[in-house]
Amino acid sequence: MSARRRSIDTVFVANRGEIALRVVRACKEMGIRSVVGYSVPDADTAAVRAADTAVRIGPADGRRSYLYPPALIEAALRSGAQAVHPGYGFLAEDPEFAEICAQNGLIFVGPEPAVMAMLGDKVLARRMMSEIGVPVLPGTAEPVAGDRAVLDEAARIGLPLIIKAAAGGGGRGMQVVTDRDALLPGYRTARVSAREYFGDDRVYLERYWEQVRHVEVQVLADGHGTVLHLGERDCSVQRRHQKLIEETPGPGLPPSVAERLAEYAVRGARAAGYTGAGTFEFLVAGDEIAFIEANCRIQVEHPVTEVATGVDLVREQLLVAAGERLSFGQADVRPRGTAIECRVNAEDPERGFVPSGGRLDEFAPPGGPFVRVDTHGYPGATVTPDYDSLLAKVIVWGPDRDQALNRMERALGEFRIAGAGVRTTIPLLLDVLRDPRFRAGACTTSYLDGRDVVGASPN
């Protein structure tokens, strides 16, 4: 059945930072009025400045602002918006929030709540993908509860294994267990983390693959039966299971593996009835593939795909939300060259990536050919410890990987960030870019584990 076309002339952006600014810019280009909801410390941010209208939604505490549906809905309705774009993080993958939007006559820019609920439950998503013939890691078919069940299932699956939140994602709270004595403590820690991060303490067990790559596939789908993929992104360079560097195509990834990844992602999106932008994520070891999770939202690293394909993913999200067809077909997707993104976080790698904050006395992003910087930073802005530490994303393109890497090294070297107490990941990123293992495309998800990192002095 074709999707019903709906008029959208005003979008309420239920997020902050660079993704809020990214959505505002897309709206401007489409002739759509943008309204940004902001918390008290975000009153003078770049997104607020750029939006057509801004509405205060609450205090710094996210539970009373960006994570508080009543405030968001009231602000969206008061602003005259027809649609809510949730960005990523906060309530972007919350099916209850999507349902509340629908109940109030607001279009949620994302998949249907039931689809979000199913794919957001990692156990259900694993089961669905397995049923349609997509390989998954050995693990539990249901959330596991109780010490005895954990011990029995671990004996069946084998060590090492990983304990994950059933309702979570983004690597938060995961526990890798390599020793049987650490199993129950890891289980208890994972449950506490799952409750803290996601309000749901259910966890499941999965076999842990060592020395693997993390590769995701970008999908787009509309309400008229079209499901497309836009290639893969390698996200293997991570700290604490959080991505630092992403690139497309996956370096050294055999074409046959890339084709299978894309086919599996499209198959999964079709089976789930997915609409909008999303990713299906996999582990890759040689020519072995295993699905791990789906993300029902735009990804932090979406610019990598945009730069390589020329497709504006946020624009397509808004078209799909309005009931329109995607503006292109699979044959039109022709990625070129290599695109790389480095996340510049206000963190101190020398101290275990602890977030840093303060006033930005100097903030001068790089420029030059084929360099894109998505950021909400500017001279005089304050980096607050209240929210995520992402300060900027530097994205470059090159006709081949070597040229792209050289361009990224040059761009990061140009980036000037200074302020009392503000440290960034730029020195570490430059160190990685110069590492022969990374240059050879040989990094796995354990690349930074136990690795000495450079000092992160202000740039």
Side-chain angles (χ1 to χ4, degrees), residues 360-380:
L360 295 175
D361 299 319
E362 181 182 11
F363 191 86
F370 307 111
V371 175
R372 166 178 166 179
V373 180
D374 283 16
T375 182
H376 58 290
Y378 58 89

Side-chain angles (χ1 to χ4, degrees), residues 390-403:
L390 182 64
L391 188 56
K393 304 182 308 196
V394 180
I395 307 99
V396 305
W397 179 89
D400 57 46
R401 188 169 186 262
D402 282 343
Q403 292 185 63

Side-chain angles (χ1 to χ4, degrees), residues 49-212:
R49 293 180 177 189
D52 295 301
T53 305
V55 181
R56 192 173 74 180
I57 55 174
D61 185 350
R63 294 168 297 182
R64 297 168 59 196
S65 55
Y66 297 109
L67 289 166
Y68 188 50
L72 297 169
I73 297 298
E74 193 275 334
L77 293 174
R78 179 154 47 95
S79 69
Q82 297 85 36
V84 174
H85 196 302
Y88 53 72
F90 292 129
L91 298 174
E93 292 183 281
D94 189 329
E96 292 184 10
F97 179 60
E99 187 61 46
I100 292 170
C101 287
Q103 291 170 358
N104 284 274
L106 295 165
I107 301 166
F108 181 84
V109 181
E112 293 297 318
V115 174
M116 292 177 64
M118 191 274 289
L119 289 178
D121 187 309
K122 309 311 178 192
V123 174
L124 294 180
R126 275 170 43 89
R127 185 185 306 161
M128 183 206 76
M129 295 295 277
S130 180
E131 289 173 351
I132 61 174
V134 175
V136 299
L137 293 171
T140 55
E142 301 288 345
V144 62
D147 292 358
R148 184 71 264 164
V150 171
L151 292 171
D152 289 345
E153 288 292 344
R156 179 182 65 83
I157 297 167
L159 296 176
L161 57 77
I162 190 165
I163 308 173
K164 295 182 177 181
R172 291 179 173 84
M174 297 194 308
Q175 297 292 313
V176 176
V177 177
T178 59
D179 186 318
R180 183 176 172 81
D181 291 339
L183 186 59
L184 294 182
Y187 163 65
R188 294 175 187 126
T189 299
R191 288 189 64 187
V192 170
S193 297
R195 187 184 307 113
E196 176 184 339
Y197 286 123
F198 311 111
D200 184 339
D201 68 357
R202 294 176 306 133
V203 298
Y204 66 101
L205 311 183
E206 197 172 67
R207 186 64 185 270
Y208 181 63
W209 274 5
E210 300 178 277
Q211 301 300 315
V212 295

